[in-house]
């Protein structure tokens, strides 16, 4: 950044903000802004990186002409939160765990606290690198090469007697070939090495970021954890921690799909409910403003009494929008008190994604409402241009290796997680060139009991096999591959 730009952004015409104004600004404080310090200096925040409305503002900033990462704690508990962050960073540094160095910590005039660390210019999160690899088969060499350093670093953390209460791929930074761990306020200290129970919790938290299909392929990751100096954990203890972590993560994530948060933007009014993936909100704004227009002018994929599906182009991207219609007054009345099929598909799409089951990404949900009553609804998803499996697979031969591996992983995961589809026609599975994707999730559900699941799975299994004659090689291969044989 040039001296001229630095001077311009620290000039008096940049608005001055304090904790109260930042709380009032909610999720989108206007940048740049200045923050006065008690010693007469000023910090200038130029770019927001994360905002927890009313609690914390994190951004790319300047202090004394130096580029820093600034965390502004602005709620009534700011002193405690800032001190916990400072202590966590100090503990990591004392243990030799790579983390951005602490530069300054100070109270702000009129309330609130500031903490700054070095800014790692060009750093990327482990999550950014993981996303392109997330659909790879379990144990993929490139994916393991990416993940092993994170598990090794966690081993070092536990060897030093440190635990981390918020382990996810976004809290690991890659910078100039080195891996850093961040978020000091989640770090707690204990006698070294860390005891088995908190160590298992941390390790389970990190493993839970992976699709469950990886459960049989984590040996290299556990070896890396031990290479970091951590003690071996009893398999039963780790398995119990992993079940607990996954159950909590699923509940937490599904709850977020229906409320305004960092991941989703949600608007509610007397006549409308709208949820959209926050990072897609701007791109989808024209579509969300008038979904009927896009349904009617898009390329029709299905024109039915109960649903209308269109392919639409917005900018350089393509989306699928599905409108759930009401046939008549009686149909409307019968649906009014129940969650819409769009809502169900929205939730199940996110559930499948969390389990690593490929499905076109659900991007937005709209419901017409009359107070508590629901009417029509729309669901927007990513577009997959590949053929369906009825078209793609040949009845007179077994699937090619890529298709065979993808189908086996998908069905094994559905079976393991007790998820039934409800309408498992071959046309409801698409092939995108690399993997099979499950679509049309209106009747999909995760079962609480094994008896109920087995009943539904037998129907799904039989429906999928009926797509091809019983005496064909493909049918015989599928009958042998599909779990839960009759």
């Amino acid at each position: 950044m040039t001296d001229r730009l630095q001077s311009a952004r620290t000039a008096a015409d940049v608005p001055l903000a304090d904790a109260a104004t930042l709380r009032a600004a909610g999720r989108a404080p206007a940048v740049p802004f200045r923050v006065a310090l008690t010693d007469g200096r000023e910090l200038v925040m130029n770019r927001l990186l994360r905002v927890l409305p009313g609690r914390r503002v994190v951004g790319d900033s300047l202090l004394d002409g130096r580029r820093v990462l600034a965390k502004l704690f602005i709620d009534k508990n700011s002193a405690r939160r800032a001190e916990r962050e400072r202590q966590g960073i100090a503990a990591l540094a004392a243990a030799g765990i790579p983390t951005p160095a602490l530069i300054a910590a100070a109270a702000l005039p009129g309330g609130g606290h500031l903490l700054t660390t070095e800014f790692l210019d060009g750093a990327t999160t482990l999550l950014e690198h993981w996303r392109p690899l997330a659909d790879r088969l379990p144990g993929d060499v490139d994916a393991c090469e990416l993940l092993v350093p994170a598990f090794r670093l966690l081993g070092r953390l536990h060897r030093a007697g440190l635990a981390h209460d918020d382990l996810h791929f976004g809290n690991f930074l890659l910078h100039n070939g080195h891996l850093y761990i961040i978020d000091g306020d989640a770090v707690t200290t204990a006698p070294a090495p860390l005891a088995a129970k908190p160590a298992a919790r941390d390790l389970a938290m990190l493993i839970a970021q992976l699709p469950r299909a990886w459960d049989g392929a984590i040996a290299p990751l556990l070896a890396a954890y031990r290479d970091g100096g951590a003690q071996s954990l009893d398999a039963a203890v780790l398995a119990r921690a992993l079940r607990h972590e996954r159950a909590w993560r699923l509940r937490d994530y599904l709850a977020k799909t229906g409320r305004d948060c960092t991941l989703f933007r949600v608007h509610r009014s007397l006549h409308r409910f709208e949820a959209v993936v926050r990072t897609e909100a701007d791109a989808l704004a024209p579509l969300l403003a008038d979904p009927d227009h896009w349904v009617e002018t898009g390329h029709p994929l299905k024109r039915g009494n109960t649903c209308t599906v269109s392919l639409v182009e917005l900018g350089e991207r393509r989306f699928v929008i599905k409108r759930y219609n009401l046939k008549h007054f009686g149909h409307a009345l019968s649906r009014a008190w129940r969650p819409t099929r769009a809502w169900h598909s929205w939730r199940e799409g996110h559930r499948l994604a969390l389990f690593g089951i490929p499905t076109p990404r659900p991007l937005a949900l709209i419901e017409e409402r009359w107070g508590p009553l629901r009417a029509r609804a729309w669901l927007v998803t990513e577009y997959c241009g590949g053929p369906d499996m009825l078209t793609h697979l040949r009845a007179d031969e077994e699937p090619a290796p890529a298709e065979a591996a993808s189908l086996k992983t998908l069905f094994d995961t559905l079976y393991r997680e007790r998820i039934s589809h409800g309408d498992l026609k071959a046309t409801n599975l698409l092939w995108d060139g690399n993997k099979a994707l499950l679509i049309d999730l209106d009747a999909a559900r995760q079962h609480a009991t094994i008896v109920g699941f087995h009943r539904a799975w037998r129907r799904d299994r039989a429906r999928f096999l009926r797509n091809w004659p019983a005496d064909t090689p493909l049918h015989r291969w599928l009958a042998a591959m599909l779990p839960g044989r009759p």
Side-chain angles (χ1 to χ4, degrees):
M1 185 175 292
T2 65
D3 291 341
R4 179 181 298 177
L5 181 56
Q6 290 177 6
S7 298
R9 295 207 168 180
T10 55
D13 58 350
V14 174
L16 187 65
D18 58 17
T21 58
L22 291 174
R23 286 195 300 270
R27 194 174 291 280
V31 288
F33 62 81
R34 292 179 293 137
V35 176
L37 308 186
T38 53
D39 59 8
R41 293 182 298 165
E42 290 185 342
L43 175 129
V44 178
M45 185 166 286
N46 291 313
R47 180 168 60 99
L48 299 175
L49 297 177
R50 190 180 184 199
V51 178
L52 295 179
R55 292 173 52 193
R56 189 166 70 201
V57 179
V58 183
D60 180 359
S61 306
L62 284 175
L63 180 64
D64 296 331
R66 179 180 180 180
R67 194 177 184 186
V68 297
L69 179 83
K71 289 190 175 183
L72 295 169
F73 300 86
I74 57 177
D75 66 356
K76 63 180 181 180
N77 298 313
S78 64
R80 176 173 59 84
R81 296 183 192 279
E83 177 59 17
R84 189 169 63 187
E85 178 88 20
R86 188 197 65 76
Q87 290 180 356
I89 294 173
L92 291 171
I97 305 298
T99 193
L102 179 66
I103 294 174
L108 301 177
H113 288 74
L114 165 71
L115 186 144
T116 63
T117 61
E118 66 175 322
F119 190 90
L120 303 180
D121 193 15
T124 52
T125 67
L126 186 66
L127 180 61
E128 293 173 76
H129 293 269
W130 165 251
R131 281 173 177 151
L133 304 176
D135 292 332
R136 300 277 186 94
L137 292 177
D140 174 80
V141 173
D142 292 337
C144 283
E145 185 178 341
L146 174 70
L147 297 171
V148 157
F151 281 82
R152 185 178 295 116
L153 187 57
L154 179 60
R156 292 177 57 188
L157 198 75
H158 288 175
R159 181 184 62 188
L162 302 179
H164 196 293
D165 295 336
D166 192 20
L167 279 170
H168 57 80
F169 292 165
N171 273 339
F172 290 88
L173 294 183
L174 287 161
H175 182 252
N176 291 341
H178 298 285
L179 186 66
Y180 296 75
I181 193 165
I182 60 172
D183 207 358
D185 68 347
V187 173
T188 56
T189 60
L194 195 65
K197 187 173 181 179
R201 181 211 60 186
D202 280 8
L203 185 56
M205 207 181 308
L206 198 54
I207 294 172
Q209 309 302 308
L210 304 171
R212 298 195 191 195
W214 272 73
D215 282 4
I218 62 172
L221 306 181
L222 296 179
Y225 172 71
R226 293 190 297 270
D227 287 345
Q231 296 179 327
S232 295
L233 295 173
D234 181 78
V237 173
L238 179 58
R240 185 163 53 249
L242 190 54
R243 285 195 299 271
H244 180 272
E245 178 60 30
R246 282 173 168 164
W248 177 88
R249 190 166 180 255
L250 178 62
R251 290 193 303 270
D252 180 67
Y253 185 70
L254 292 183
K256 287 178 179 177
T257 64
R259 62 178 172 85
D260 197 67
C261 60
T262 302
L263 295 175
F264 300 97
R265 192 195 71 185
V266 174
H267 289 160
R268 301 172 186 265
S269 69
L270 183 64
H271 299 301
R272 181 181 170 104
F273 174 89
E274 176 186 301
V276 58
V277 174
R278 187 171 291 279
T279 55
E280 299 285 354
D282 291 340
L284 292 175
L287 192 152
L288 299 176
D290 191 0
D292 277 334
H293 166 77
W294 293 90
V295 169
E296 299 303 331
T297 59
H299 175 73
L301 300 178
K302 180 179 180 180
R303 298 294 192 199
N305 290 330
T306 58
C307 71
T308 305
V309 186
S310 294
L311 167 64
V312 302
E313 295 188 9
L314 196 56
E316 297 181 353
R317 297 176 63 187
R318 306 171 91 185
F319 305 96
V320 171
I321 179 168
K322 186 174 186 178
R323 182 179 64 201
Y324 294 83
N325 305 315
L326 298 174
K327 295 185 291 185
H328 45 70
F329 178 75
H331 184 219
L333 191 62
S334 72
R335 301 290 319 180
W337 294 99
R338 292 182 285 169
T340 63
R341 288 183 296 157
W343 169 264
H344 188 82
S345 294
W346 167 256
R347 294 256 300 185
E348 294 312 304
H350 287 292
R351 186 194 304 271
L352 295 192
L354 196 64
F355 290 147
I357 300 171
T359 188
R361 187 183 177 209
L363 301 177
L365 163 72
I366 305 169
E367 291 181 337
E368 285 181 337
R369 292 191 176 182
W370 299 93
L373 304 180
R374 296 166 172 85
R376 295 186 306 162
W378 298 259
L379 179 71
V380 182
T381 68
E382 290 180 331
Y383 171 68
C384 173
D388 61 61
M389 284 299 183
L390 188 62
T391 303
H392 184 64
L393 298 179
R394 292 173 54 91
D396 59 356
E397 63 184 23
E398 295 183 0
E403 284 84 339
S406 180
L407 286 170
K408 180 170 176 50
T409 298
L410 185 148
F411 283 113
D412 284 351
T413 307
L414 289 172
Y415 190 80
R416 184 178 62 248
E417 303 302 335
R418 298 180 182 176
I419 297 172
S420 64
H421 182 271
D423 189 20
L424 202 54
K425 301 178 291 189
T427 51
N428 280 334
L429 274 170
L430 305 181
W431 180 253
D432 73 352
N434 296 299
K435 60 186 178 298
L437 293 90
L438 197 60
I439 64 170
D440 199 4
L441 307 179
D442 298 15
R445 61 174 297 193
Q446 186 175 32
H447 296 261
T449 67
I450 192 68
V451 173
F453 167 67
H454 279 160
R455 186 183 304 117
W457 182 257
R458 284 194 295 269
R459 291 194 295 266
D460 272 359
R461 192 179 190 280
R463 179 65 188 91
F464 192 66
L465 288 172
R466 284 202 305 273
N467 287 283
W468 298 278
D471 60 349
T472 59
L474 177 59
H475 187 283
R476 289 193 292 268
W477 182 86
L478 290 169
M481 179 275 296
L482 288 168
R485 300 183 192 180

